[in-house]
Amino acid sequence: MKELVQIEFLDIEENEEYCKLIEKVIEKCFEEEKLLETKLYMSIILTTPDKIQEMNNEYRKINKTTDVLSFPMFEKEELQNISLITEEPLGDIVISIEKVQEQAEEYGHSFERELAYMVVHGFYHLMGYDHIELTDRVEMRKKEEEILNKLSITREN
Protein backbone atom coordinates (compact mmCIF):
# COMPACT_ATOMS: atom_id res chain seq x y z
CA MET A 1 0.00 0.00 0.00
CA LYS A 2 1.17 3.52 -0.76
CA GLU A 3 2.26 5.86 2.00
CA LEU A 4 -0.69 8.09 2.89
CA VAL A 5 0.97 10.18 5.57
CA GLN A 6 4.44 11.45 6.36
CA ILE A 7 4.95 12.10 10.07
CA GLU A 8 7.53 14.50 11.40
CA PHE A 9 8.50 15.20 15.01
CA LEU A 10 9.54 18.81 15.54
CA ASP A 11 11.24 19.58 18.85
CA ILE A 12 9.67 16.53 20.52
CA GLU A 13 10.85 12.96 20.92
CA GLU A 14 9.80 10.47 18.24
CA ASN A 15 7.11 8.04 19.35
CA GLU A 16 6.23 4.90 17.39
CA GLU A 17 2.84 4.56 19.11
CA TYR A 18 1.81 8.00 17.86
CA CYS A 19 2.84 6.97 14.34
CA LYS A 20 0.84 3.73 14.44
CA LEU A 21 -2.29 5.52 15.66
CA ILE A 22 -1.97 8.33 13.11
CA GLU A 23 -1.43 5.90 10.22
CA LYS A 24 -4.47 3.86 11.27
CA VAL A 25 -6.66 6.96 11.55
CA ILE A 26 -5.50 8.45 8.23
CA GLU A 27 -6.02 5.16 6.43
CA LYS A 28 -9.63 5.06 7.70
CA CYS A 29 -10.15 8.72 6.68
CA PHE A 30 -8.85 8.01 3.16
CA GLU A 31 -10.99 4.87 2.96
CA GLU A 32 -14.17 6.66 4.08
CA GLU A 33 -13.63 9.53 1.68
CA LYS A 34 -12.75 7.13 -1.17
CA LEU A 35 -9.23 8.49 -1.55
CA LEU A 36 -7.29 5.23 -1.32
CA GLU A 37 -7.09 4.94 -5.11
CA THR A 38 -5.92 8.53 -5.55
CA LYS A 39 -2.35 9.73 -5.56
CA LEU A 40 -2.97 12.10 -2.66
CA TYR A 41 -0.92 12.02 0.51
CA MET A 42 -0.43 14.34 3.47
CA SER A 43 1.97 15.25 6.23
CA ILE A 44 1.53 15.61 9.95
CA ILE A 45 3.95 17.48 12.17
CA LEU A 46 3.85 16.76 15.91
CA THR A 47 5.37 19.56 17.91
CA THR A 48 5.40 21.80 20.99
CA PRO A 49 3.05 24.65 21.97
CA ASP A 50 5.85 27.15 21.25
CA LYS A 51 6.39 25.87 17.70
CA ILE A 52 2.67 25.78 16.90
CA GLN A 53 2.29 29.32 18.26
CA GLU A 54 5.17 30.43 16.05
CA MET A 55 3.50 28.84 12.98
CA ASN A 56 0.08 30.24 13.92
CA ASN A 57 1.60 33.71 14.11
CA GLU A 58 3.61 33.35 10.91
CA TYR A 59 0.86 31.90 8.70
CA ARG A 60 -2.35 33.16 10.29
CA LYS A 61 -1.15 36.29 12.11
CA ILE A 62 -2.60 34.93 15.37
CA ASN A 63 0.07 35.05 18.06
CA LYS A 64 -1.23 32.35 20.37
CA THR A 65 -0.89 28.62 20.80
CA THR A 66 -3.53 26.22 19.53
CA ASP A 67 -4.07 22.48 19.41
CA VAL A 68 -4.08 21.88 15.64
CA LEU A 69 -3.34 23.81 12.47
CA SER A 70 -4.34 22.66 8.99
CA PHE A 71 -2.88 23.86 5.73
CA PRO A 72 -4.98 22.51 2.84
CA MET A 73 -3.62 22.45 -0.70
CA PHE A 74 -7.04 22.42 -2.37
CA GLU A 75 -10.38 24.17 -2.11
CA LYS A 76 -13.34 21.91 -1.35
CA GLU A 77 -14.67 22.38 -4.90
CA GLU A 78 -11.36 21.25 -6.40
CA LEU A 79 -11.61 17.97 -4.50
CA GLN A 80 -14.89 17.19 -6.29
CA ASN A 81 -12.73 16.29 -9.31
CA ILE A 82 -10.35 14.14 -7.30
CA SER A 83 -9.65 11.78 -10.21
CA LEU A 84 -8.06 14.65 -12.16
CA ILE A 85 -5.54 15.41 -9.41
CA THR A 86 -2.08 14.00 -10.04
CA GLU A 87 0.20 12.96 -7.19
CA GLU A 88 -0.18 15.86 -4.83
CA PRO A 89 -0.10 16.58 -1.12
CA LEU A 90 -3.59 16.97 0.33
CA GLY A 91 -2.00 19.33 2.82
CA ASP A 92 -0.25 19.57 6.17
CA ILE A 93 -1.51 19.23 9.72
CA VAL A 94 0.43 20.48 12.74
CA ILE A 95 -0.53 19.13 16.17
CA SER A 96 0.66 20.27 19.60
CA ILE A 97 1.23 17.06 21.57
CA GLU A 98 1.21 18.95 24.88
CA LYS A 99 -2.22 20.43 24.04
CA VAL A 100 -3.48 16.95 23.13
CA GLN A 101 -2.47 15.75 26.62
CA GLU A 102 -4.06 18.79 28.32
CA GLN A 103 -7.32 18.42 26.41
CA ALA A 104 -7.51 14.67 27.03
CA GLU A 105 -7.33 15.39 30.76
CA GLU A 106 -9.75 18.33 30.49
CA TYR A 107 -12.35 16.29 28.55
CA GLY A 108 -11.84 13.15 30.63
CA HIS A 109 -10.81 10.75 27.90
CA SER A 110 -7.64 9.08 26.75
CA PHE A 111 -4.65 10.63 25.04
CA GLU A 112 -5.26 8.17 22.17
CA ARG A 113 -8.82 9.46 21.71
CA GLU A 114 -7.73 13.11 21.71
CA LEU A 115 -4.83 12.55 19.30
CA ALA A 116 -7.08 10.54 16.96
CA TYR A 117 -9.67 13.31 17.10
CA MET A 118 -7.06 15.99 16.27
CA VAL A 119 -5.91 13.94 13.27
CA VAL A 120 -9.46 13.43 11.96
CA HIS A 121 -10.33 17.07 12.64
CA GLY A 122 -7.27 18.26 10.73
CA PHE A 123 -7.99 15.82 7.90
CA TYR A 124 -11.47 17.22 7.38
CA HIS A 125 -10.07 20.75 7.32
CA LEU A 126 -7.78 19.55 4.51
CA MET A 127 -10.89 18.21 2.79
CA GLY A 128 -12.42 21.69 2.86
CA TYR A 129 -14.71 21.34 5.86
CA ASP A 130 -14.97 24.03 8.48
CA HIS A 131 -16.81 24.68 11.73
CA ILE A 132 -17.50 28.40 11.57
CA GLU A 133 -21.14 28.08 10.42
CA LEU A 134 -23.44 25.79 12.42
CA THR A 135 -24.49 23.66 9.42
CA ASP A 136 -20.86 23.12 8.42
CA ARG A 137 -19.91 22.32 12.03
CA VAL A 138 -22.67 19.71 12.29
CA GLU A 139 -21.58 18.03 9.04
CA MET A 140 -17.90 18.07 10.04
CA ARG A 141 -18.55 16.70 13.54
CA LYS A 142 -20.72 13.90 12.12
CA LYS A 143 -17.91 12.81 9.78
CA GLU A 144 -15.32 13.01 12.58
CA GLU A 145 -17.42 10.88 14.94
CA GLU A 146 -18.15 8.31 12.22
CA ILE A 147 -14.43 7.77 11.64
CA LEU A 148 -13.65 7.47 15.34
CA ASN A 149 -16.59 5.12 15.95
CA LYS A 150 -15.56 2.86 13.06
CA LEU A 151 -12.11 2.65 14.67
CA SER A 152 -13.70 2.01 18.10
CA ILE A 153 -12.00 5.11 19.48
CA THR A 154 -14.74 6.51 21.66
CA ARG A 155 -14.90 9.15 24.37
CA GLU A 156 -14.75 6.34 26.93
CA ASN A 157 -11.31 5.26 25.64
Side-chain angles (χ1 to χ4, degrees):
M1 180 187 275
K2 70 174 182 145
E3 184 179 22
L4 302 176
V5 61
Q6 299 166 344
I7 303 167
E8 180 183 340
F9 293 83
L10 182 61
D11 290 350
I12 65 167
E13 192 173 316
E14 288 191 27
N15 184 307
E16 190 59 35
E17 293 304 310
Y18 298 172
C19 292
K20 287 178 188 172
L21 176 63
I22 290 167
E23 289 166 357
K24 177 174 80 169
V25 171
I26 291 299
E27 183 175 353
K28 180 55 79 178
C29 289
F30 270 67
E31 178 185 314
E32 289 298 307
E33 294 300 325
K34 300 177 180 27
L35 299 177
L36 287 175
E37 301 303 316
T38 69
K39 294 183 178 180
L40 292 170
Y41 61 94
M42 56 185 288
S43 73
I44 295 181
I45 299 168
L46 304 176
T47 194
T48 65
D50 290 342
K51 278 292 181 193
I52 208 166
Q53 179 174 349
E54 189 179 299
M55 290 179 190
N56 203 14
N57 189 34
E58 181 177 346
Y59 298 109
R60 299 179 62 224
K61 307 300 181 222
I62 299 173
N63 191 17
K64 66 177 197 172
T65 191
T66 187
D67 50 6
V68 61
L69 291 173
S70 301
F71 300 99
M73 297 300 289
F74 299 98
E75 296 294 325
K76 193 173 188 179
E77 299 73 38
E78 292 176 293
L79 291 170
Q80 306 300 329
N81 299 315
I82 204 83
S83 61
L84 302 177
I85 299 173
T86 58
E87 187 168 341
E88 294 279 349
L90 185 58
D92 302 317
I93 300 170
V94 184
I95 299 173
S96 169
I97 289 297
E98 192 174 307
K99 287 292 271 184
V100 169
Q101 184 63 49
E102 286 173 16
Q103 289 174 182
E105 291 170 13
E106 180 182 336
Y107 302 138
H109 52 245
S110 69
F111 177 88
E112 175 193 45
R113 175 18 171 117
E114 190 64 19
L115 179 57
Y117 176 77
M118 287 295 123
V119 170
V120 175
H121 185 77
F123 172 82
Y124 278 108
H125 276 308
L126 298 186
M127 292 294 294
Y129 290 86
D130 212 327
H131 45 79
I132 296 169
E133 300 296 325
L134 179 61
T135 55
D136 296 337
R137 184 178 325 131
V138 168
E139 183 180 6
M140 186 174 178
R141 294 288 185 260
K142 182 176 183 263
K143 286 182 166 289
E144 292 166 347
E145 289 302 320
E146 283 175 5
I147 297 283
L148 295 172
N149 287 337
K150 286 181 179 184
L151 290 169
S152 299
I153 302 174
T154 63
R155 292 183 191 277
E156 288 74 46
N157 292 69

